[in-house]
Amino acid sequence: MKLKGKIITSVSLMLILAAALFVYIKFYYVFGEGVKAGELNFVVYKGYLWKTYEGRAIQAGFQKGSKGVSTAIQSYEFDFSVADKAIADTLMRCSGRNVQLHYKEYLGALPWRGQQKYIVDRIVSVE
């Protein structure tokens, strides 16, 4: 094999490895995990090609006002996907209740895993 062929092969191999590493980090590496609590707004099963379970929990809290402005109530919407059908079915029966959900955060969403980068993998508690 000539030198030119070895260089092309080496560069091609490095590009393929770099692309594989990028895809792994972007879509499969768990960037963070934790628990979020709030009132479960909804869980739906939707999608055109890949049907996935999508949900939203409303987290109420207080917003600190600036100088001369009083404290106000604010809400944060936690949009998530659920990969496990059993967890999604349980959550569908808990709409309007306070829940604590354990989630994993990815840097990117995959269409067959869900539309969100937050994937709920466990229900911690339902009140």
Side-chain angles (χ1 to χ4, degrees), residues 29-74:
Y29 175 74
V30 177
F31 179 68
E33 51 184 305
V35 175
K36 293 232 184 200
E39 182 180 330
L40 185 62
N41 194 358
F42 65 83
V43 175
V44 296
Y45 185 60
K46 66 180 183 177
Y48 291 111
L49 189 57
W50 286 284
K51 297 249 184 226
T52 57
Y53 294 97
E54 307 296 326
R56 177 179 293 155
I58 307 296
Q59 300 174 291
F62 293 100
Q63 176 182 16
K64 183 179 177 184
S66 58
K67 293 181 182 179
V69 179
S70 63
T71 303
I73 295 177
Q74 73 174 28

